[in-house]
Amino acid sequence: MASIDLTHAPYGDLAIVAMRGCEEIAKQVDYYLMQWRGTPDEKSFVINASCPRFGTGEAKGVFKHSARGLDAYIICDCFNYSVTYNMYGKEVPMSPDDHFCDLKRIIAAMGGKARRVNVIMPMLYEGRQHRRTTRESMDCALMLQELMSMGVKNFITFDAHDPRVNNAIPLDGFDNIQAAYQMIKALLRSTPDIKLDPEHTMIVSPDEGGMGRCIYYSSVLGLDLGMFYKRRDYSTIIDGRNPIVAHEFLGKDVTGMDLILVDDMISSGDSMLDIAAKMKERGANRIFVFSTFGLFVNGLEKFDEYYENGIIDKVFTTNLIYNSPELLSREWYCNVNMSKYIALLVDTLNCDNSISKLLDPADKIHSIVAKHEGKTAE
């Protein structure tokens, strides 16, 4: 019996649309797609779009290409604070709200003529406002519903703070993608002497909410797992949150162990650094931090201090959101490039093929770890 050919023709003419601040990663994605498809250098998949602003700060979306028949992939980094605009003569950094409004403007500028509109939003806009605990807004759910009402067919994000927000659009395309393979690959390259076995290395979750992603690392790598839970003061609210009173650890003895702390984002980093210090007090050897998104909202000085004091060894975050030149220059920092992975996703979706194998890189992780162990054994 003949096998079924699952390779499809392109869904539409491929177009990459880079929102402001995403030009560099779009350029890298475009490079891989052009290489794989044998596209001449002068024929890029990137299509120009812009959102010029008036002096009042008002804006409009301009799509500088015919949208008809396109399979468009719009890349949007809602957390790129390096992008600015002028309002009443003052330079104003773009907020997440500004980026999201510009995304809607570009979709509107297509006028419904694109064959399919796909949004790649690496860090989910309002992703931390994912559930209602009192009379408050559900911003992330509203954002997803609004985009789908505008005609978006596929929504791709990475390491969502709570992937259950997908329940807001149960009949529409929503893919939550992990960066586990790229993180492990970067760790093995930067630290060739690390031994990924239960006797030498352990995975640690900084809180109960991050256990899901840590269980994946633990299961795929065959490592033991520990967890901190945050004891909060629920009688007090500071900056809209209940302050953390203490971090409590659940897990085996970590004396002499290399630890990998895994979380979805580093905001201020205070919790992660506090946990690293507590692990050092318990006798941990080297401490590596995996975080898909490095926001560093309170600056880098505290990370510099903890690195100089030998508390942390390396911090790994991706290029999915903006990384400042100051961060990229730090000795303790390692940038994990995700552009090739995004290009693979786009290439596969454009041909209307399944991305299931791309979503679970367990086999690739096993292969790279086995290769690493062979090298270290030599």
Side-chain angles (χ1 to χ4, degrees):
M1 183 177 177
S3 60
I4 300 173
D5 183 8
L6 294 178
T7 303
H8 304 152
Y11 189 90
D13 294 336
L14 177 59
I16 307 296
V17 182
M19 300 302 297
R20 285 194 67 194
C22 297
E23 294 85 359
E24 182 57 35
I25 194 167
K27 182 180 178 182
Q28 295 180 38
V29 169
D30 185 46
Y31 168 80
Y32 286 112
L33 290 169
M34 291 173 66
Q35 293 294 311
W36 298 336
R37 298 192 176 192
T39 306
D41 291 341
E42 65 275 9
K43 293 191 176 181
S44 168
F45 290 111
V46 176
I47 287 180
N48 290 327
S50 64
C51 291
R53 290 183 179 264
F54 302 99
T56 57
E58 298 167 287
K60 64 179 179 180
V62 180
F63 196 71
K64 302 176 182 179
H65 190 280
S66 171
R68 197 175 298 277
L70 293 182
D71 186 20
Y73 294 81
I74 307 175
I75 304 176
C76 179
D77 175 12
C78 289
F79 299 86
N80 191 331
Y81 59 92
S82 72
V83 181
T84 63
Y85 62 92
N86 288 318
M87 184 171 69
Y88 291 98
K90 296 180 180 179
E91 189 175 25
V92 181
M94 286 186 68
S95 71
D97 292 343
D98 291 325
H99 283 289
F100 178 56
C101 285
D102 276 2
L103 169 64
K104 291 189 291 181
R105 290 179 176 113
I106 293 302
I107 296 172
M110 293 182 187
K113 299 300 189 293
R115 180 165 294 177
R116 184 170 64 178
V117 177
N118 313 269
V119 170
I120 301 174
M121 186 183 289
M123 186 170 175
L124 198 56
Y125 170 76
E126 294 289 3
R128 284 184 280 183
Q129 185 54 24
H130 57 93
R131 63 186 176 192
R132 174 177 285 167
T133 56
T134 182
R135 198 174 294 276
E136 58 189 12
S137 60
M138 288 281 288
D139 296 54
C140 188
L142 288 172
M143 177 271 295
L144 291 170
Q145 291 174 353
E146 188 172 7
L147 289 182
M148 297 306 157
S149 72
M150 295 183 72
V152 172
K153 297 300 181 185
N154 291 313
F155 187 92
I156 299 170
T157 192
F158 287 78
D159 208 354
H161 190 67
D162 188 343
R164 290 174 296 182
V165 74
N166 179 27
N167 293 335
I169 50 168
L171 300 181
D172 296 293
F174 180 97
D175 289 299
N176 178 44
I177 299 166
Q178 304 298 321
Y181 170 71
Q182 289 79 8
M183 287 287 188
I184 293 168
K185 186 176 181 180
L187 173 65
L188 296 179
R189 283 182 172 178
S190 66
T191 316
D193 63 331
I194 192 169
K195 297 179 180 179
L196 295 178
D197 59 57
E199 289 73 37
H200 299 91
T201 307
M202 183 176 177
I203 303 292
V204 175
S205 175
D207 54 42
E208 59 275 21
M211 280 297 286
R213 63 181 64 87
C214 290
I215 288 172
Y216 182 83
Y217 278 97
S218 173
S219 301
V220 173
L221 295 174
L223 303 179
D224 289 326
L225 175 62
M227 184 196 81
F228 274 87
Y229 69 91
K230 297 173 181 176
R231 195 147 51 84
R232 295 181 180 271
D233 179 4
Y234 288 98
S235 65
T236 306
I237 298 178
I238 299 176
D239 294 330
R241 306 181 71 182
N242 302 111
I244 298 169
V245 176
H247 290 100
E248 307 289 351
F249 180 66
L250 301 174
K252 72 173 192 179
D253 181 23
V254 299
T255 303
M257 301 278 287
D258 288 336
L259 303 183
I260 302 175
L261 309 185
V262 182
D263 207 355
D264 59 331
M265 71 178 75
I266 295 173
S267 184
S268 67
D270 289 345
S271 294
M272 191 69 79
L273 293 175
D274 183 42
I275 288 168
K278 289 184 181 300
M279 290 288 91
K280 277 293 185 179
E281 291 173 3
R282 290 171 177 264
N285 183 23
R286 294 176 296 185
I287 295 180
F288 305 98
V289 177
F290 283 4
S291 183
T292 307
F293 307 110
L295 301 172
F296 301 98
V297 297
N298 289 346
L300 306 172
E301 291 74 17
K302 198 168 182 180
F303 281 84
D304 292 338
E305 176 189 340
Y306 275 59
Y307 174 70
E308 291 167 4
N309 293 334
I311 297 174
I312 59 171
D313 289 82
K314 280 282 185 185
V315 176
F316 298 81
T317 74
T318 70
N319 68 331
L320 291 170
I321 62 171
Y322 172 70
N323 298 301
S324 68
E326 293 78 19
L327 175 63
L328 296 172
S329 69
R330 291 305 200 265
E331 189 176 353
W332 46 264
Y333 177 70
C334 183
N335 186 252
V336 180
N337 194 327
M338 299 293 292
S339 57
K340 187 175 183 179
Y341 193 19
I342 293 176
L344 278 169
L345 292 166
V346 170
D347 189 47
T348 305
L349 287 171
N350 178 237
C351 293
D352 219 18
N353 289 323
S354 171
I355 61 172
S356 297
K357 290 185 178 180
L358 295 177
L359 298 182
D360 184 6
D363 291 340
K364 293 181 70 175
I365 293 173
H366 291 152
S367 176
I368 194 172
V369 171
K371 183 178 179 181
H372 171 77
E373 289 175 347
K375 285 184 177 181
T376 54
E378 294 172 3

